[in-house]
Amino acid sequence: MSEITVRPLGEDDWQDYRAVRLAALSESPEAFAADASQEEAYDESFWRERMTRSNRLVAENNGEAVGIVSVGQAKVSDGSAGELFGLWVRPEARGTGVATHLVKNGASLARDRGQSHLVYWVGTDNGRAVAFASGMGFRPTDFRRPMRIASEEDGDEEVAMVLALGEDVGPQPRL
């Protein structure tokens, strides 16, 4: 695989985001709380509005989108944490560093926004995802929530894993 690049998507890139999002929903429906056929029917105004709610990053290889991630605001009282969500990599690009590039860029984005931590919710039974997040520096917390869609791979609960975005960032956020 050649060089992986990651770029932010703006509101005018809604079609690029839509294409990757629909590919993700079609390929890995169990990983998302949304439905591909429903989202396929949404109009341009829906997609443009969605682009303004969170930052979207796309990973590309030779100009072709191979992964996506979103970075939003975590639901914490003081606004100190960002949240990484919607991470997806095309099956043929898995294991090639795409997810690592996306997470590193997402963490840099959150840090640049002045956030001290990045939260990533992972299925408690998904050993591969927990190991990946741990390898990226995320640490499990005591915060749990029910999975929106329970699966055999992820289980029926997810854990908040948190990444500190600096050397002296203070305590983990309260979720």
Side-chain angles (χ1 to χ4, degrees), residues 20-66:
V20 180
R21 171 78 176 170
L22 293 177
L25 293 173
S26 296
E27 190 278 323
S28 300
E30 72 289 345
F32 299 94
D35 178 78
S37 61
Q38 261 186 326
E39 292 205 6
E40 196 168 23
Y42 293 148
D43 65 7
E44 178 179 340
S45 64
F46 170 88
W47 289 100
R48 284 184 174 279
E49 192 276 325
R50 179 178 263 182
M51 298 302 290
T52 65
R53 293 191 313 225
S54 298
N55 295 98
R56 316 297 174 163
L57 302 173
V58 64
E60 296 173 321
N61 182 11
N62 293 324
E64 179 186 345
V66 292

mmCIF file of all heavy atoms in Angstrom, residues 20-66:
data_model
loop_
_atom_site.group_PDB
_atom_site.id
_atom_site.type_symbol
_atom_site.label_atom_id
_atom_site.label_comp_id
_atom_site.label_asym_id
_atom_site.label_seq_id
_atom_site.Cartn_x
_atom_site.Cartn_y
_atom_site.Cartn_z
ATOM 1 N N VAL A 20 -18.458 7.554 1.595
ATOM 2 C CA VAL A 20 -17.728 6.679 2.513
ATOM 3 C C VAL A 20 -18.653 6.178 3.611
ATOM 4 O O VAL A 20 -18.597 5.012 4.011
ATOM 5 C CB VAL A 20 -16.499 7.398 3.114
ATOM 6 C CG1 VAL A 20 -15.742 6.478 4.055
ATOM 7 C CG2 VAL A 20 -15.579 7.892 2.020
ATOM 8 N N ARG A 21 -19.508 7.047 4.118
ATOM 9 C CA ARG A 21 -20.452 6.659 5.173
ATOM 10 C C ARG A 21 -21.374 5.540 4.676
ATOM 11 O O ARG A 21 -21.599 4.554 5.385
ATOM 12 C CB ARG A 21 -21.260 7.884 5.600
ATOM 13 C CG ARG A 21 -22.414 7.623 6.512
ATOM 14 C CD ARG A 21 -21.999 7.403 7.920
ATOM 15 N NE ARG A 21 -23.187 7.263 8.758
ATOM 16 C CZ ARG A 21 -23.175 6.886 10.003
ATOM 17 N NH1 ARG A 21 -22.032 6.634 10.595
ATOM 18 N NH2 ARG A 21 -24.275 6.772 10.697
ATOM 19 N N LEU A 22 -21.914 5.674 3.479
ATOM 20 C CA LEU A 22 -22.798 4.633 2.945
ATOM 21 C C LEU A 22 -22.038 3.335 2.705
ATOM 22 O O LEU A 22 -22.573 2.247 2.937
ATOM 23 C CB LEU A 22 -23.494 5.112 1.671
ATOM 24 C CG LEU A 22 -24.491 6.255 1.869
ATOM 25 C CD1 LEU A 22 -25.055 6.702 0.523
ATOM 26 C CD2 LEU A 22 -25.613 5.866 2.827
ATOM 27 N N ALA A 23 -20.786 3.428 2.271
ATOM 28 C CA ALA A 23 -19.961 2.220 2.102
ATOM 29 C C ALA A 23 -19.777 1.535 3.453
ATOM 30 O O ALA A 23 -19.876 0.308 3.564
ATOM 31 C CB ALA A 23 -18.612 2.577 1.488
ATOM 32 N N ALA A 24 -19.519 2.321 4.499
ATOM 33 C CA ALA A 24 -19.322 1.766 5.841
ATOM 34 C C ALA A 24 -20.600 1.093 6.339
ATOM 35 O O ALA A 24 -20.558 -0.026 6.872
ATOM 36 C CB ALA A 24 -18.898 2.874 6.810
ATOM 37 N N LEU A 25 -21.729 1.756 6.168
ATOM 38 C CA LEU A 25 -23.004 1.195 6.630
ATOM 39 C C LEU A 25 -23.362 -0.081 5.870
ATOM 40 O O LEU A 25 -23.947 -1.003 6.443
ATOM 41 C CB LEU A 25 -24.130 2.224 6.476
ATOM 42 C CG LEU A 25 -24.046 3.449 7.380
ATOM 43 C CD1 LEU A 25 -25.126 4.455 7.009
ATOM 44 C CD2 LEU A 25 -24.160 3.056 8.841
ATOM 45 N N SER A 26 -23.011 -0.126 4.594
ATOM 46 C CA SER A 26 -23.308 -1.324 3.794
ATOM 47 C C SER A 26 -22.390 -2.489 4.144
ATOM 48 O O SER A 26 -22.825 -3.632 4.233
ATOM 49 C CB SER A 26 -23.175 -1.001 2.300
ATOM 50 O OG SER A 26 -24.141 -0.054 1.923
ATOM 51 N N GLU A 27 -21.107 -2.182 4.340
ATOM 52 C CA GLU A 27 -20.128 -3.240 4.597
ATOM 53 C C GLU A 27 -20.183 -3.746 6.035
ATOM 54 O O GLU A 27 -19.996 -4.930 6.279
ATOM 55 C CB GLU A 27 -18.717 -2.711 4.287
ATOM 56 C CG GLU A 27 -17.642 -3.768 4.277
ATOM 57 C CD GLU A 27 -17.112 -4.126 5.669
ATOM 58 O OE1 GLU A 27 -17.003 -3.217 6.514
ATOM 59 O OE2 GLU A 27 -16.834 -5.316 5.902
ATOM 60 N N SER A 28 -20.425 -2.856 6.988
ATOM 61 C CA SER A 28 -20.398 -3.224 8.417
ATOM 62 C C SER A 28 -21.663 -2.747 9.131
ATOM 63 O O SER A 28 -21.591 -1.953 10.066
ATOM 64 C CB SER A 28 -19.175 -2.601 9.103
ATOM 65 O OG SER A 28 -17.987 -3.042 8.519
ATOM 66 N N PRO A 29 -22.834 -3.210 8.721
ATOM 67 C CA PRO A 29 -24.076 -2.700 9.319
ATOM 68 C C PRO A 29 -24.169 -2.921 10.825
ATOM 69 O O PRO A 29 -24.770 -2.117 11.538
ATOM 70 C CB PRO A 29 -25.178 -3.456 8.571
ATOM 71 C CG PRO A 29 -24.514 -4.653 7.999
ATOM 72 C CD PRO A 29 -23.080 -4.275 7.758
ATOM 73 N N GLU A 30 -23.527 -3.970 11.305
ATOM 74 C CA GLU A 30 -23.584 -4.279 12.733
ATOM 75 C C GLU A 30 -22.772 -3.303 13.579
ATOM 76 O O GLU A 30 -22.946 -3.222 14.793
ATOM 77 C CB GLU A 30 -23.096 -5.706 12.994
ATOM 78 C CG GLU A 30 -21.596 -5.914 12.819
ATOM 79 C CD GLU A 30 -21.061 -5.869 11.392
ATOM 80 O OE1 GLU A 30 -21.851 -5.953 10.427
ATOM 81 O OE2 GLU A 30 -19.839 -5.744 11.234
ATOM 82 N N ALA A 31 -21.907 -2.527 12.960
ATOM 83 C CA ALA A 31 -21.038 -1.610 13.692
ATOM 84 C C ALA A 31 -21.657 -0.235 13.909
ATOM 85 O O ALA A 31 -21.096 0.582 14.621
ATOM 86 C CB ALA A 31 -19.707 -1.465 12.951
ATOM 87 N N PHE A 32 -22.789 0.008 13.299
ATOM 88 C CA PHE A 32 -23.402 1.331 13.360
ATOM 89 C C PHE A 32 -24.854 1.237 13.789
ATOM 90 O O PHE A 32 -25.523 0.245 13.532
ATOM 91 C CB PHE A 32 -23.320 2.009 11.982
ATOM 92 C CG PHE A 32 -21.912 2.222 11.510
ATOM 93 C CD1 PHE A 32 -21.290 1.286 10.698
ATOM 94 C CD2 PHE A 32 -21.208 3.351 11.879
ATOM 95 C CE1 PHE A 32 -19.989 1.464 10.259
ATOM 96 C CE2 PHE A 32 -19.906 3.551 11.447
ATOM 97 C CZ PHE A 32 -19.295 2.611 10.641
ATOM 98 N N ALA A 33 -25.337 2.304 14.417
ATOM 99 C CA ALA A 33 -26.736 2.356 14.847
ATOM 100 C C ALA A 33 -27.641 2.851 13.723
ATOM 101 O O ALA A 33 -28.845 2.937 13.895
ATOM 102 C CB ALA A 33 -26.872 3.258 16.071
ATOM 103 N N ALA A 34 -27.063 3.168 12.578
ATOM 104 C CA ALA A 34 -27.819 3.693 11.439
ATOM 105 C C ALA A 34 -28.015 2.610 10.384
ATOM 106 O O ALA A 34 -27.370 1.567 10.418
ATOM 107 C CB ALA A 34 -27.078 4.879 10.847
ATOM 108 N N ASP A 35 -28.870 2.906 9.436
ATOM 109 C CA ASP A 35 -29.212 1.967 8.369
ATOM 110 C C ASP A 35 -28.847 2.593 7.018
ATOM 111 O O ASP A 35 -29.232 3.739 6.744
ATOM 112 C CB ASP A 35 -30.708 1.662 8.456
ATOM 113 C CG ASP A 35 -31.167 0.738 7.362
ATOM 114 O OD1 ASP A 35 -30.929 -0.474 7.487
ATOM 115 O OD2 ASP A 35 -31.763 1.232 6.384
ATOM 116 N N ALA A 36 -28.145 1.860 6.170
ATOM 117 C CA ALA A 36 -27.687 2.376 4.880
ATOM 118 C C ALA A 36 -28.841 2.826 3.997
ATOM 119 O O ALA A 36 -28.772 3.902 3.379
ATOM 120 C CB ALA A 36 -26.852 1.323 4.149
ATOM 121 N N SER A 37 -29.908 2.053 3.911
ATOM 122 C CA SER A 37 -31.017 2.430 3.025
ATOM 123 C C SER A 37 -31.697 3.712 3.501
ATOM 124 O O SER A 37 -32.121 4.531 2.687
ATOM 125 C CB SER A 37 -32.025 1.292 2.896
ATOM 126 O OG SER A 37 -32.579 0.976 4.149
ATOM 127 N N GLN A 38 -31.783 3.900 4.823
ATOM 128 C CA GLN A 38 -32.354 5.140 5.357
ATOM 129 C C GLN A 38 -31.467 6.326 5.005
ATOM 130 O O GLN A 38 -31.950 7.349 4.518
ATOM 131 C CB GLN A 38 -32.452 5.066 6.879
ATOM 132 C CG GLN A 38 -33.802 4.699 7.404
ATOM 133 C CD GLN A 38 -33.804 4.807 8.929
ATOM 134 O OE1 GLN A 38 -32.804 4.534 9.597
ATOM 135 N NE2 GLN A 38 -34.932 5.196 9.464
ATOM 136 N N GLU A 39 -30.186 6.209 5.265
ATOM 137 C CA GLU A 39 -29.280 7.328 5.034
ATOM 138 C C GLU A 39 -29.104 7.628 3.555
ATOM 139 O O GLU A 39 -28.865 8.765 3.173
ATOM 140 C CB GLU A 39 -27.935 7.096 5.726
ATOM 141 C CG GLU A 39 -28.083 7.143 7.230
ATOM 142 C CD GLU A 39 -26.823 7.519 7.978
ATOM 143 O OE1 GLU A 39 -25.798 7.860 7.343
ATOM 144 O OE2 GLU A 39 -26.877 7.478 9.216
ATOM 145 N N GLU A 40 -29.233 6.619 2.726
ATOM 146 C CA GLU A 40 -29.127 6.827 1.280
ATOM 147 C C GLU A 40 -30.224 7.768 0.775
ATOM 148 O O GLU A 40 -30.024 8.519 -0.185
ATOM 149 C CB GLU A 40 -29.218 5.476 0.561
ATOM 150 C CG GLU A 40 -28.762 5.517 -0.853
ATOM 151 C CD GLU A 40 -28.585 4.116 -1.419
ATOM 152 O OE1 GLU A 40 -29.198 3.164 -0.910
ATOM 153 O OE2 GLU A 40 -27.826 3.994 -2.380
ATOM 154 N N ALA A 41 -31.364 7.770 1.442
ATOM 155 C CA ALA A 41 -32.505 8.587 1.024
ATOM 156 C C ALA A 41 -32.401 10.046 1.479
ATOM 157 O O ALA A 41 -33.152 10.898 0.998
ATOM 158 C CB ALA A 41 -33.807 7.980 1.564
ATOM 159 N N TYR A 42 -31.480 10.355 2.389
ATOM 160 C CA TYR A 42 -31.368 11.726 2.891
ATOM 161 C C TYR A 42 -30.887 12.667 1.793
ATOM 162 O O TYR A 42 -30.064 12.303 0.956
ATOM 163 C CB TYR A 42 -30.411 11.794 4.074
ATOM 164 C CG TYR A 42 -30.896 11.083 5.315
ATOM 165 C CD1 TYR A 42 -29.988 10.495 6.183
ATOM 166 C CD2 TYR A 42 -32.248 10.989 5.635
ATOM 167 C CE1 TYR A 42 -30.411 9.848 7.340
ATOM 168 C CE2 TYR A 42 -32.680 10.340 6.786
ATOM 169 C CZ TYR A 42 -31.757 9.775 7.630
ATOM 170 O OH TYR A 42 -32.172 9.138 8.767
ATOM 171 N N ASP A 43 -31.387 13.903 1.836
ATOM 172 C CA ASP A 43 -31.047 14.881 0.808
ATOM 173 C C ASP A 43 -29.789 15.681 1.166
ATOM 174 O O ASP A 43 -29.206 15.520 2.238
ATOM 175 C CB ASP A 43 -32.222 15.823 0.544
ATOM 176 C CG ASP A 43 -32.581 16.694 1.745
ATOM 177 O OD1 ASP A 43 -31.845 16.685 2.758
ATOM 178 O OD2 ASP A 43 -33.602 17.400 1.666
ATOM 179 N N GLU A 44 -29.402 16.531 0.249
ATOM 180 C CA GLU A 44 -28.184 17.321 0.406
ATOM 181 C C GLU A 44 -28.199 18.153 1.685
ATOM 182 O O GLU A 44 -27.182 18.250 2.385
ATOM 183 C CB GLU A 44 -27.988 18.236 -0.798
ATOM 184 C CG GLU A 44 -26.772 19.119 -0.694
ATOM 185 C CD GLU A 44 -26.565 20.019 -1.909
ATOM 186 O OE1 GLU A 44 -27.105 19.727 -2.994
ATOM 187 O OE2 GLU A 44 -25.829 21.017 -1.752
ATOM 188 N N SER A 45 -29.322 18.758 2.014
ATOM 189 C CA SER A 45 -29.377 19.616 3.206
ATOM 190 C C SER A 45 -29.100 18.816 4.480
ATOM 191 O O SER A 45 -28.439 19.312 5.400
ATOM 192 C CB SER A 45 -30.709 20.351 3.310
ATOM 193 O OG SER A 45 -31.771 19.444 3.485
ATOM 194 N N PHE A 46 -29.578 17.566 4.537
ATOM 195 C CA PHE A 46 -29.293 16.708 5.687
ATOM 196 C C PHE A 46 -27.790 16.479 5.814
ATOM 197 O O PHE A 46 -27.214 16.609 6.888
ATOM 198 C CB PHE A 46 -30.016 15.361 5.547
ATOM 199 C CG PHE A 46 -29.567 14.352 6.575
ATOM 200 C CD1 PHE A 46 -30.175 14.298 7.813
ATOM 201 C CD2 PHE A 46 -28.522 13.466 6.311
ATOM 202 C CE1 PHE A 46 -29.752 13.388 8.776
ATOM 203 C CE2 PHE A 46 -28.088 12.558 7.261
ATOM 204 C CZ PHE A 46 -28.712 12.513 8.501
ATOM 205 N N TRP A 47 -27.149 16.115 4.697
ATOM 206 C CA TRP A 47 -25.725 15.803 4.724
ATOM 207 C C TRP A 47 -24.894 17.039 5.042
ATOM 208 O O TRP A 47 -23.920 16.962 5.802
ATOM 209 C CB TRP A 47 -25.294 15.162 3.406
ATOM 210 C CG TRP A 47 -25.839 13.782 3.281
ATOM 211 C CD1 TRP A 47 -26.939 13.393 2.564
ATOM 212 C CD2 TRP A 47 -25.354 12.606 3.931
ATOM 213 N NE1 TRP A 47 -27.147 12.053 2.719
ATOM 214 C CE2 TRP A 47 -26.198 11.532 3.554
ATOM 215 C CE3 TRP A 47 -24.293 12.346 4.784
ATOM 216 C CZ2 TRP A 47 -26.005 10.229 4.010
ATOM 217 C CZ3 TRP A 47 -24.095 11.048 5.239
ATOM 218 C CH2 TRP A 47 -24.947 10.009 4.845
ATOM 219 N N ARG A 48 -25.268 18.174 4.501
ATOM 220 C CA ARG A 48 -24.547 19.417 4.799
ATOM 221 C C ARG A 48 -24.647 19.752 6.290
ATOM 222 O O ARG A 48 -23.665 20.130 6.926
ATOM 223 C CB ARG A 48 -25.063 20.575 3.963
ATOM 224 C CG ARG A 48 -24.584 20.540 2.535
ATOM 225 C CD ARG A 48 -25.048 21.788 1.768
ATOM 226 N NE ARG A 48 -24.489 21.823 0.454
ATOM 227 C CZ ARG A 48 -23.263 22.249 0.152
ATOM 228 N NH1 ARG A 48 -22.470 22.685 1.109
ATOM 229 N NH2 ARG A 48 -22.836 22.235 -1.088
ATOM 230 N N GLU A 49 -25.830 19.604 6.856
ATOM 231 C CA GLU A 49 -26.023 19.891 8.278
ATOM 232 C C GLU A 49 -25.209 18.924 9.130
ATOM 233 O O GLU A 49 -24.589 19.313 10.116
ATOM 234 C CB GLU A 49 -27.520 19.803 8.625
ATOM 235 C CG GLU A 49 -27.880 20.352 9.985
ATOM 236 C CD GLU A 49 -27.673 19.365 11.117
ATOM 237 O OE1 GLU A 49 -27.898 18.154 10.901
ATOM 238 O OE2 GLU A 49 -27.284 19.780 12.216
ATOM 239 N N ARG A 50 -25.168 17.669 8.735
ATOM 240 C CA ARG A 50 -24.388 16.669 9.471
ATOM 241 C C ARG A 50 -22.909 17.040 9.487
ATOM 242 O O ARG A 50 -22.219 16.827 10.473
ATOM 243 C CB ARG A 50 -24.579 15.291 8.833
ATOM 244 C CG ARG A 50 -23.784 14.206 9.528
ATOM 245 C CD ARG A 50 -24.025 12.864 8.929
ATOM 246 N NE ARG A 50 -25.032 12.171 9.722
ATOM 247 C CZ ARG A 50 -25.448 10.941 9.478
ATOM 248 N NH1 ARG A 50 -24.974 10.278 8.444
ATOM 249 N NH2 ARG A 50 -26.344 10.377 10.249
ATOM 250 N N MET A 51 -22.431 17.616 8.402
ATOM 251 C CA MET A 51 -21.014 17.988 8.317
ATOM 252 C C MET A 51 -20.658 19.087 9.316
ATOM 253 O O MET A 51 -19.491 19.231 9.675
ATOM 254 C CB MET A 51 -20.662 18.457 6.898
ATOM 255 C CG MET A 51 -20.842 17.401 5.823
ATOM 256 S SD MET A 51 -19.876 15.913 6.081
ATOM 257 C CE MET A 51 -18.232 16.516 5.792
ATOM 258 N N THR A 52 -21.628 19.849 9.771
ATOM 259 C CA THR A 52 -21.353 20.946 10.697
ATOM 260 C C THR A 52 -21.396 20.509 12.158
ATOM 261 O O THR A 52 -20.946 21.242 13.032
ATOM 262 C CB THR A 52 -22.356 22.101 10.505
ATOM 263 O OG1 THR A 52 -23.672 21.667 10.855
ATOM 264 C CG2 THR A 52 -22.339 22.605 9.066
ATOM 265 N N ARG A 53 -21.929 19.332 12.441
ATOM 266 C CA ARG A 53 -22.077 18.879 13.835
ATOM 267 C C ARG A 53 -20.792 18.331 14.434
ATOM 268 O O ARG A 53 -20.608 18.392 15.649
ATOM 269 C CB ARG A 53 -23.168 17.809 13.926
ATOM 270 C CG ARG A 53 -24.546 18.343 13.630
ATOM 271 C CD ARG A 53 -25.626 17.357 13.989
ATOM 272 N NE ARG A 53 -25.358 16.017 13.512
ATOM 273 C CZ ARG A 53 -26.236 15.238 12.915
ATOM 274 N NH1 ARG A 53 -27.454 15.665 12.700
ATOM 275 N NH2 ARG A 53 -25.915 14.024 12.536
ATOM 276 N N SER A 54 -19.930 17.756 13.612
ATOM 277 C CA SER A 54 -18.675 17.162 14.069
ATOM 278 C C SER A 54 -17.653 17.314 12.953
ATOM 279 O O SER A 54 -18.012 17.558 11.805
ATOM 280 C CB SER A 54 -18.850 15.668 14.369
ATOM 281 O OG SER A 54 -19.780 15.469 15.398
ATOM 282 N N ASN A 55 -16.395 17.148 13.312
ATOM 283 C CA ASN A 55 -15.354 17.141 12.293
ATOM 284 C C ASN A 55 -15.259 15.748 11.700
ATOM 285 O O ASN A 55 -15.323 14.752 12.416
ATOM 286 C CB ASN A 55 -14.005 17.536 12.903
ATOM 287 C CG ASN A 55 -14.016 18.954 13.408
ATOM 288 O OD1 ASN A 55 -14.201 19.183 14.588
ATOM 289 N ND2 ASN A 55 -13.824 19.907 12.525
ATOM 290 N N ARG A 56 -15.109 15.685 10.396
ATOM 291 C CA ARG A 56 -14.976 14.403 9.681
ATOM 292 C C ARG A 56 -13.602 14.350 9.030
ATOM 293 O O ARG A 56 -13.175 15.315 8.407
ATOM 294 C CB ARG A 56 -16.050 14.262 8.599
ATOM 295 C CG ARG A 56 -17.454 14.672 8.993
ATOM 296 C CD ARG A 56 -18.035 13.838 10.106
ATOM 297 N NE ARG A 56 -19.330 14.389 10.507
ATOM 298 C CZ ARG A 56 -20.227 13.748 11.203
ATOM 299 N NH1 ARG A 56 -19.988 12.513 11.600
ATOM 300 N NH2 ARG A 56 -21.366 14.311 11.532
ATOM 301 N N LEU A 57 -12.937 13.225 9.190
ATOM 302 C CA LEU A 57 -11.629 13.009 8.580
ATOM 303 C C LEU A 57 -11.707 11.794 7.680
ATOM 304 O O LEU A 57 -12.250 10.755 8.069
ATOM 305 C CB LEU A 57 -10.565 12.775 9.661
ATOM 306 C CG LEU A 57 -10.378 13.874 10.697
ATOM 307 C CD1 LEU A 57 -9.416 13.407 11.790
ATOM 308 C CD2 LEU A 57 -9.874 15.145 10.046
ATOM 309 N N VAL A 58 -11.149 11.912 6.487
ATOM 310 C CA VAL A 58 -11.124 10.783 5.563
ATOM 311 C C VAL A 58 -9.670 10.397 5.300
ATOM 312 O O VAL A 58 -8.811 11.261 5.147
ATOM 313 C CB VAL A 58 -11.866 11.102 4.231
ATOM 314 C CG1 VAL A 58 -11.194 12.212 3.456
ATOM 315 C CG2 VAL A 58 -12.010 9.864 3.368
ATOM 316 N N ALA A 59 -9.419 9.092 5.297
ATOM 317 C CA ALA A 59 -8.098 8.572 4.928
ATOM 318 C C ALA A 59 -8.173 8.155 3.466
ATOM 319 O O ALA A 59 -9.157 7.540 3.032
ATOM 320 C CB ALA A 59 -7.732 7.373 5.797
ATOM 321 N N GLU A 60 -7.132 8.494 2.743
ATOM 322 C CA GLU A 60 -7.099 8.167 1.318
ATOM 323 C C GLU A 60 -5.784 7.489 0.955
ATOM 324 O O GLU A 60 -4.755 7.736 1.570
ATOM 325 C CB GLU A 60 -7.268 9.445 0.485
ATOM 326 C CG GLU A 60 -8.619 10.103 0.689
ATOM 327 C CD GLU A 60 -8.758 11.444 0.005
ATOM 328 O OE1 GLU A 60 -7.781 12.229 -0.003
ATOM 329 O OE2 GLU A 60 -9.850 11.704 -0.524
ATOM 330 N N ASN A 61 -5.883 6.641 -0.045
ATOM 331 C CA ASN A 61 -4.727 5.980 -0.623
ATOM 332 C C ASN A 61 -4.843 6.165 -2.129
ATOM 333 O O ASN A 61 -5.816 5.705 -2.735
ATOM 334 C CB ASN A 61 -4.720 4.498 -0.248
ATOM 335 C CG ASN A 61 -3.502 3.779 -0.783
ATOM 336 O OD1 ASN A 61 -2.565 4.410 -1.265
ATOM 337 N ND2 ASN A 61 -3.519 2.470 -0.702
ATOM 338 N N ASN A 62 -3.883 6.878 -2.710
ATOM 339 C CA ASN A 62 -3.931 7.191 -4.145
ATOM 340 C C ASN A 62 -5.248 7.859 -4.540
ATOM 341 O O ASN A 62 -5.834 7.545 -5.572
ATOM 342 C CB ASN A 62 -3.708 5.935 -4.996
ATOM 343 C CG ASN A 62 -2.313 5.388 -4.845
ATOM 344 O OD1 ASN A 62 -1.352 6.146 -4.711
ATOM 345 N ND2 ASN A 62 -2.192 4.074 -4.840
ATOM 346 N N GLY A 63 -5.737 8.755 -3.688
ATOM 347 C CA GLY A 63 -6.950 9.499 -3.985
ATOM 348 C C GLY A 63 -8.245 8.759 -3.723
ATOM 349 O O GLY A 63 -9.328 9.315 -3.908
ATOM 350 N N GLU A 64 -8.163 7.506 -3.297
ATOM 351 C CA GLU A 64 -9.365 6.721 -3.023
ATOM 352 C C GLU A 64 -9.592 6.658 -1.516
ATOM 353 O O GLU A 64 -8.677 6.355 -0.747
ATOM 354 C CB GLU A 64 -9.222 5.294 -3.553
ATOM 355 C CG GLU A 64 -10.445 4.445 -3.274
ATOM 356 C CD GLU A 64 -10.256 2.990 -3.671
ATOM 357 O OE1 GLU A 64 -9.311 2.672 -4.412
ATOM 358 O OE2 GLU A 64 -11.069 2.166 -3.214
ATOM 359 N N ALA A 65 -10.818 6.945 -1.097
ATOM 360 C CA ALA A 65 -11.157 6.901 0.327
ATOM 361 C C ALA A 65 -11.084 5.468 0.831
ATOM 362 O O ALA A 65 -11.686 4.567 0.262
ATOM 363 C CB ALA A 65 -12.557 7.459 0.554
ATOM 364 N N VAL A 66 -10.304 5.275 1.917
ATOM 365 C CA VAL A 66 -10.143 3.940 2.493
ATOM 366 C C VAL A 66 -10.557 3.885 3.961
ATOM 367 O O VAL A 66 -10.544 2.821 4.571
ATOM 368 C CB VAL A 66 -8.695 3.415 2.336
ATOM 369 C CG1 VAL A 66 -8.379 3.140 0.873
ATOM 370 C CG2 VAL A 66 -7.686 4.369 2.950
#
